[in-house]
């Protein structure tokens, strides 16, 4: 018998609940077939059968038949209870409670069961609401699409095929809707991540090889230069930069420092070249004067020989007088020219001496400017090159005297938070403040060097381990009572430090590594403290 076309369908909430139970637990389904208007008692098998497998169409038909004759409120409540009782598990128990309450006309108990059903199950059902905005799945889809097609594709500019695949995946995610199959997109995304990992490893390896090649080239250029050459300093800065972790700030600081040094060195080189050219021109002028004097002297010698012959052939006193006057005139001219040549020689000598002094002054200034690469431009402390030179001097001295030599590695605490709250200018002010206070508290023989970022190394000659640890603790206390005032804010600066005593013959790298290990122990112990290396 065909079903009437105008029979009421199952309520939407119950259909969703039944569908949710089907998706969550594919167990044998209890199908209800109710053909009479009688209420089934709790636990009664009458009118209820268990099917090994449930067909969605059959379940929908069963629900349709269940609510077909429920035209009145009481009939609708009875049909709803019978429908709930046909389910298995906790929902079936709740349906039997609804049946009992309906049979006893205990509407308060029926209402309590309904509230429990609503609170526990129906409130968790997603209801499509066009005014509610995108769902969480759709928001996640849009974020993933923007990550792939926007950020990731722009980062993969060096790999056009991977960038195109990232954009294609973004386009695929744009078309996806909740409930659709994601297996194809997921497989493509996994493959893209795998290819990015492979290409990233290759790119990092190429970067390491290029940096190694560049370092080798700089080393070879340095071997060709004299140790006192001003280029040695610049080469050392670049080699120190590429040997450590690269970041935009350290590269920019090195670039600005080198540009300033190169500009000053260009001016000084130009001055030296001009002084050397002037000295060359003076020497050439003096040589020309000497040549002219030699020519004139030769001519005078020839004239004197002529005068000798004329005197021998002279026949009267008047002829001799005339010849004497000519000889005196020529001799006077020679004397004048000799005096001018002497004056020119003296002036040239003075100018040469002045040019030599100028060259020496400029070369010294050039050497001093080249020495700027041993100093950190931001804080005024030594940089790595300056520290290495200081360590070599102090290590050689302590080897001869057998005195102790300690190194302390300092790392500022919470420096990233300082940059976030006060900006990079505030962070730079903190670095300068640490160096200034350190110079006030340390001895003149101690040296402080910036090793990059917020790390500093303090070299303490002629200090035992106990004395060096005490010096670092004094520096901590000094910083605690001398906060930095920056833009009307008080910034308290602390650091974690590790102190290591140099062993005989120990190099700088090994010493710093031991101090670095102790510094990390200070960090783990709570920061703002000093730990000695074992």
């Amino acid at each position: 018998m065909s079903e009437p076309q105008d029979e009421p369908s199952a309520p939407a909430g119950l259909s969703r609940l039944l569908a949710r139970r089907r998706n969550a637990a594919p167990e044998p389904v209890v199908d209800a077939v109710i053909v009479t208007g009688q209420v089934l008692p709790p636990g009664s098998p009458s009118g209820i059968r268990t099917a090994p497998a449930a067909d969605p169409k059959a379940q929908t038909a069963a629900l349709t038949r269940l609510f077909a004759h429920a035209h009145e409120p009481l009939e609708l409540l009875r049909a709803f209870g019978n429908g709930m009782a046909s389910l298995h598990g906790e929902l079936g128990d709740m349906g039997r409670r609804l049946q009992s309450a309906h049979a006893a006309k205990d509407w308060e108990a029926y209402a309590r069961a309904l509230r429990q059903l609503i609170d526990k199950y129906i409130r968790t059902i997603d209801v499509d609401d066009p005014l509610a905005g995108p769902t969480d799945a759709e928001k996640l889809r849009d974020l993933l699409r923007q990550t792939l097609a926007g950020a990731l594709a722009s980062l993969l500019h060096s790999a056009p095929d991977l960038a195109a695949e990232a954009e294609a995946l973004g386009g695929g995610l744009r078309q996806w809707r909740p409930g659709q199959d994601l297996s194809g997109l997921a497989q493509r995304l996994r493959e893209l991540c795998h290819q990015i990992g492979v290409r990233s490893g290759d790119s990092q390896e190429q970067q390491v090889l290029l940096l190694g090649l560049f370092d080798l080239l700089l080393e070879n250029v340095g071997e060709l230069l004299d140790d006192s050459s001003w280029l040695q300093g610049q080469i050392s800065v670049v080699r120190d930069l590429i040997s450590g972790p690269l970041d935009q700030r350290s590269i920019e600081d090195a670039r600005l420092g080198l540009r300033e040094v190169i500009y000053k060195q260009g001016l000084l080189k130009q001055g030296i070249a001009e002084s050397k050219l002037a000295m060359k021109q003076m020497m050439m002028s003096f040589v020309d004067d000497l040549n002219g004097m030699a020519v004139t002297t030769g001519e005078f010698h020839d004239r004197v020989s002529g005068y000798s012959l004329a005197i021998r052939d002279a026949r009267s006193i008047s002829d001799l007088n005339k010849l004497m006057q000519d000889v005196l005139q020529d001799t006077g001219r020679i004397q004048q020219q000799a005096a001018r040549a002497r004056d020119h020689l003296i002036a040239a000598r003075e100018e040469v001496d002045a040019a030599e002094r100028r060259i020496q002054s400029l070369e010294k200034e050039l050497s001093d400017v080249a020495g700027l690469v041993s100093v950190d431009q931001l804080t005024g402390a030594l940089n790595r090159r300056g520290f290495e030179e200081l360590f070599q001097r102090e290590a050689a001295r302590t080897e001869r005297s057998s005195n102790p030599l300690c190194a302390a590695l300092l790392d500022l605490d919470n420096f990233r938070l300082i940059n976030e709250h006060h900006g990079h200018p505030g962070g730079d002010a903190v670095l300068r403040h640490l160096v200034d206070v350190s110079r006030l508290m340390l001895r003149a023989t101690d040296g402080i060097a910036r090793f990059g970022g917020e790390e500093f190394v303090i070299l303490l000659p002629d200090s035992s381990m106990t004395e060096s640890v005490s010096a670092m603790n004094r520096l901590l206390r000094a910083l605690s009572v001398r906060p930095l005032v920056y833009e009307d804010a008080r910034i308290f600066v602390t650091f974690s430090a590790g102190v290591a005593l140099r062993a005989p013959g120990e190099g700088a790298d090994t010493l710093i590594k031991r101090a670095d290990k102790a510094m990390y122990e200070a960090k783990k112990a709570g920061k703002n403290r000093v730990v000695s290396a074992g």
Side-chain angles (χ1 to χ4, degrees), residues 209-363:
L209 291 175
L210 286 175
L211 289 176
L213 180 62
F214 187 37
D215 183 64
L216 181 61
L217 177 62
L218 292 175
E219 182 180 3
N220 291 335
V221 172
E223 291 295 332
L224 296 175
L225 296 172
D226 183 20
D227 291 339
S228 61
S229 174
W230 55 271
L231 278 175
Q232 289 284 7
Q234 296 182 7
I235 291 175
S236 298
V237 168
V238 178
R239 292 191 66 188
D240 289 341
L241 179 65
I242 64 179
S243 64
L246 296 176
D247 60 83
Q248 183 177 359
R249 186 177 180 185
S250 61
I251 294 175
E252 182 65 19
D253 290 343
R255 186 182 70 87
L256 293 177
L258 286 176
R259 284 185 61 183
E260 181 180 0
V261 171
I262 291 171
Y263 172 72
K264 292 181 179 179
Q265 289 171 342
L267 294 178
L268 295 173
K269 285 179 61 180
Q270 182 180 359
I272 291 176
E274 291 175 352
S275 297
K276 290 182 177 180
L277 178 61
M279 185 176 67
K280 181 179 178 181
Q281 291 175 347
M282 287 185 291
M283 293 299 297
M284 293 177 62
S285 175
F286 176 67
V287 171
D288 291 340
D289 289 341
L290 289 179
N291 289 333
M293 185 176 178
V295 171
T296 304
T297 304
E299 293 177 353
F300 176 73
H301 180 72
D302 294 339
R303 292 175 66 87
V304 168
S305 300
Y307 290 146
S308 298
L309 295 175
I311 291 173
R312 186 181 302 123
D313 297 335
R315 297 182 181 274
S316 62
I317 296 299
S318 60
D319 293 338
L320 290 174
N321 287 334
K322 184 176 184 305
L323 289 172
M324 185 61 67
Q325 291 177 359
D326 293 339
V327 169
L328 291 175
Q329 289 177 358
D330 289 340
T331 302
R333 284 196 297 268
I334 289 298
Q335 288 177 344
Q336 292 176 358
Q337 189 171 6
R340 287 196 300 269
R342 184 196 62 186
D343 294 339
H344 289 168
L345 178 60
I346 293 173
R349 179 59 183 270
E350 292 176 351
E351 291 176 357
V352 168
D353 291 341
E356 288 180 350
R357 290 192 297 270
R358 171 66 175 165
I359 290 173
Q360 291 175 358
S361 175
L362 291 176
E363 287 179 343

Side-chain angles (χ1 to χ4, degrees), residues 31-80:
D31 189 7
V33 181
I34 298 179
V35 294
T36 66
Q38 298 177 353
V39 178
L40 298 178
S44 174
S46 176
I48 302 177
R49 62 184 179 86
T50 301
D55 183 6
K57 293 183 178 180
Q59 289 182 345
T60 302
L63 286 174
T64 302
R65 289 193 299 272
L66 181 65
F67 289 92
H69 303 287
H71 300 298
E72 298 295 331
L74 294 180
E75 295 176 353
L76 181 62
L77 294 177
R78 180 187 61 197
F80 181 74

Side-chain angles (χ1 to χ4, degrees), residues 104-154:
K105 298 188 184 304
D106 187 355
W107 305 120
E108 292 184 359
Y110 198 102
R112 285 195 300 271
L114 278 179
R115 283 196 297 270
Q116 292 177 1
L117 175 65
I118 292 172
D119 292 338
K120 191 168 185 179
Y121 293 100
I122 297 180
R123 289 186 189 276
T124 64
I125 300 175
D126 294 332
V127 180
D128 294 333
D129 185 0
L131 300 179
T135 63
D136 290 341
E138 291 173 334
K139 292 178 181 178
L140 183 60
R141 173 203 64 190
D142 293 338
L143 289 174
L144 183 57
R145 176 181 60 81
Q146 293 173 3
T147 302
L148 287 171
L152 187 58
S154 63

Side-chain angles (χ1 to χ4, degrees), residues 369-387:
V369 172
L372 291 177
V373 295
S374 298
V375 177
D376 179 61
Q377 299 299 306
L378 175 62
T379 62
L382 297 174
N383 59 14
R384 284 179 179 267
R385 177 173 181 259
F387 174 79

Side-chain angles (χ1 to χ4, degrees), residues 152-153 156 159-168 191-192 195-197 199:
L152 187 58
L156 294 174
D161 53 336
L162 297 183
E165 176 62 14
E167 293 178 353
E191 180 63 23
L192 176 62
Q195 292 297 328
I196 291 175
R199 302 282 183 91

Side-chain angles (χ1 to χ4, degrees), residues 14 18 29-34 39-50 63 66 77-100 110 117:
L14 185 59
L18 292 173
V29 184
V30 178
D31 189 7
V33 181
I34 298 179
V39 178
L40 298 178
S44 174
S46 176
I48 302 177
R49 62 184 179 86
T50 301
L63 286 174
L66 181 65
L77 294 177
R78 180 187 61 197
F80 181 74
N82 292 340
M84 291 292 299
S86 67
L87 301 176
H88 61 84
E90 189 175 357
L91 287 175
D93 294 338
M94 189 168 291
R96 285 185 283 275
R97 289 174 56 191
L98 291 174
Q99 285 180 329
S100 298
Y110 198 102
L117 175 65

